[in-house]
Amino acid sequence: MREALKEAEKAFEEDEVPVGAVIVKDGKVIAKGRNGREKLQDATAHAELIAIREACRELGSWRLTGCSLYVTLEPCAMCSGAAVLSRIDSVIFGAYDPKGGCAGSVLNVLSCRDFNHRPRVLGGILEEECSFLLKEYFKKKRE
Amino acid sequence: MREALKEAEKAFEEDEVPVGAVIVKDGKVIAKGRNGREKLQDATAHAELIAIREACRELGSWRLTGCSLYVTLEPCAMCSGAAVLSRIDSVIFGAYDPKGGCAGSVLNVLSCRDFNHRPRVLGGILEEECSFLLKEYFKKKRE
């Protein structure tokens, strides 16, 4: 999660909503991503989606079996859906997102029994650090 | 939808689950996509996500206001989430997907009241043609 936080800090510096993600396999970081919606002008450029695509490239496979996704904010519907599609083992997130989170806050995409894969999910890891960065960003935006 | 079906037919020929999508603005197709999970070995390479990213590039904006997404199959959680994030006006789909559809079949991501955007949604357009192609694909796979 510390590595994901570093990605979130880079997003903060780039004036993006500060969310960062990494994907780990066998104890090694194989992919990183940070929110780049404004810089890239791409609605899909969320930290997790970028990291999942990079991990697929890295492994040469759409299946991320044996991998864990660490992300500083509870994933949205798109990113939760991508995690399910990639068959990733685990999703570990920091801050909860009461407005858009799809690990249970708004909808539960990650643990939906109707889908053909359900990753393990763990929320609230380094929650304070993860949400501090988001709060600072939105405080700055309102100034 | 006929244009989306052409994309789905190309996916069929490439031995991919045959789903195709196009994005229309002011009566013109500005982006196309077809499922390319196997060919690209990318879990996120769904027709809609590819088309949304292409439309953002085309317009130089992450906001797809004024655009409509036509897709041959009810969008999954990832693609429905991406449509919401892109602020697209409408999502029009062909066949329903009882196993993964997120326009109401399994979850309702597209019309979720908690999200900050809700596209207009219309399902079952050219449903027979759209599902025929999918059935043919899975029949061929079982042979």
Side-chain angles (χ1 to χ4, degrees):
Chain A
M1 191 61 89
R2 295 263 170 231
E3 291 296 315
L5 266 166
K6 278 187 207 163
E7 289 300 304
E9 281 159 16
K10 285 184 207 165
F12 185 92
E13 284 157 23
E14 291 162 353
D15 206 27
E16 301 273 1
V17 175
V19 181
V22 298
I23 291 176
V24 172
K25 189 175 187 185
D26 302 328
K28 263 179 54 186
V29 171
I30 62 161
K32 296 178 182 186
R34 59 182 184 273
N35 178 33
R37 184 180 72 170
E38 302 299 333
K39 191 178 65 179
L40 303 170
Q41 286 297 314
D42 177 355
T44 76
H46 278 191
E48 305 95 307
L49 204 86
I50 291 169
I52 288 170
R53 297 181 70 220
E54 190 180 310
C56 290
R57 273 198 302 276
E58 188 66 29
L59 299 177
S61 169
W62 64 262
R63 288 175 194 271
L64 301 184
T65 311
C67 297
S68 297
L69 169 67
Y70 290 80
V71 54
T72 59
L73 181 67
E74 183 181 357
C76 73
M78 174 184 74
C79 294
S80 298
V84 170
L85 291 172
S86 76
R87 312 277 209 275
I88 206 161
D89 282 14
S90 318
V91 175
I92 300 105
F93 66 88
Y96 286 84
D97 180 4
K99 288 184 184 166
C102 284
S105 289
V106 175
L107 293 173
N108 202 334
V109 169
L110 284 171
S111 306
C112 178
R113 297 207 157 264
D114 294 286
F115 297 151
N116 59 1
H117 177 70
R118 286 191 300 281
R120 279 188 302 270
V121 179
L122 196 60
I125 304 304
L126 297 188
E127 185 175 1
E128 254 177 73
E129 287 95 318
C130 292
S131 64
F132 176 75
L133 207 57
L134 285 155
K135 280 177 195 153
E136 284 298 298
Y137 174 81
F138 289 110
K139 205 168 91 182
K140 196 178 72 176
K141 281 278 147 187
R142 282 192 304 270
E143 271 166 14
Chain B
M1 191 62 88
R2 296 263 170 231
E3 290 297 315
L5 267 166
K6 278 187 208 165
E7 289 300 306
E9 281 161 14
K10 285 184 206 165
F12 185 94
E13 284 158 23
E14 291 162 354
D15 206 25
E16 301 273 0
V17 175
V19 181
V22 298
I23 292 176
V24 173
K25 188 175 187 186
D26 301 329
K28 262 178 53 186
V29 171
I30 62 162
K32 296 179 182 185
R34 60 183 185 269
N35 179 34
R37 184 178 74 172
E38 302 299 332
K39 190 177 66 177
L40 303 169
Q41 286 296 314
D42 177 354
T44 76
H46 279 191
E48 305 94 305
L49 204 87
I50 291 168
I52 288 170
R53 297 181 70 221
E54 191 181 309
C56 291
R57 272 197 304 275
E58 189 63 30
L59 300 176
S61 169
W62 64 261
R63 287 175 195 271
L64 301 184
T65 310
C67 297
S68 296
L69 169 68
Y70 291 79
V71 54
T72 58
L73 181 66
E74 182 181 357
C76 74
M78 176 184 74
C79 294
S80 298
V84 171
L85 291 171
S86 76
R87 311 278 208 274
I88 206 160
D89 283 12
S90 318
V91 175
I92 299 103
F93 66 87
Y96 287 85
D97 180 4
K99 287 184 183 167
C102 283
S105 289
V106 175
L107 293 173
N108 202 332
V109 169
L110 284 172
S111 305
C112 178
R113 297 208 156 262
D114 294 285
F115 297 152
N116 59 0
H117 178 71
R118 285 192 301 280
R120 281 187 301 271
V121 180
L122 196 60
I125 306 304
L126 298 190
E127 185 176 0
E128 253 178 72
E129 287 96 318
C130 292
S131 64
F132 175 75
L133 207 57
L134 285 156
K135 280 178 197 154
E136 284 298 299
Y137 175 81
F138 289 111
K139 204 169 91 181
K140 196 178 72 175
K141 281 279 146 185
R142 281 193 303 270
E143 271 165 12

